[in-house]
Amino acid sequence: FQLQACGGGTVQPGASLRLSCAHPGFGVDDYAIAWHRQVPGEERLSVACISNKDGRTFYADSVRDRATISNNKGNHTVSLLMHSLKPEDTAVYFCAASIDRGWFRFPPYRWEYEYWGQGTLVTVSS
């Protein structure tokens, strides 16, 4: 299964940006799609996650109240809308999918994501 991430770019501080992740569906309802981000030389961190089955969401503290993750089941697209962007939001953003084979928790641990898209670069700079 391939995931296709898009929507990155260069924006000024305070701007908004929408990232999209298209996927083919996984033949089951019980999966989650998450956005992670990574700065070169640093750990890849989870930003937001949404369950396809019940719609529950997770947001990292760093983006809480500034981000909204949404799931369009009709066209298999998960979007991440971020506003009030800060320079520290600069990173490569990856979307990933995890099928629930018995998650230890929600959101799933990073090692539970089986499918990853290519990254899309977000640069927040004046």
Side-chain angles (χ1 to χ4, degrees), residues 5-88:
C6 64
T10 299
V11 297
Q12 293 189 335
S16 299
L17 197 67
R18 181 186 296 274
L19 305 179
S20 294
C21 177
H23 64 86
F26 304 97
V28 296
D29 282 337
D30 224 347
Y31 63 88
I33 302 290
W35 285 95
H36 298 75
R37 68 186 184 188
Q38 187 171 24
V39 175
E42 298 185 11
E43 182 182 5
R44 188 172 298 185
L45 300 174
S46 180
V47 175
C49 181
I50 188 165
S51 166
N52 179 73
K53 183 176 183 180
D54 57 21
R56 55 184 159 160
T57 58
F58 160 82
Y59 295 96
D61 288 343
S62 59
V63 301
R64 195 180 307 278
D65 299 326
R66 298 190 297 119
T68 302
I69 189 169
S70 58
N71 181 24
N72 186 322
K73 295 187 176 185
N75 64 9
H76 295 307
T77 301
V78 172
S79 296
L80 180 67
L81 174 63
M82 299 181 65
H83 57 87
S84 301
L85 284 163
K86 306 174 183 180
E88 50 263 45

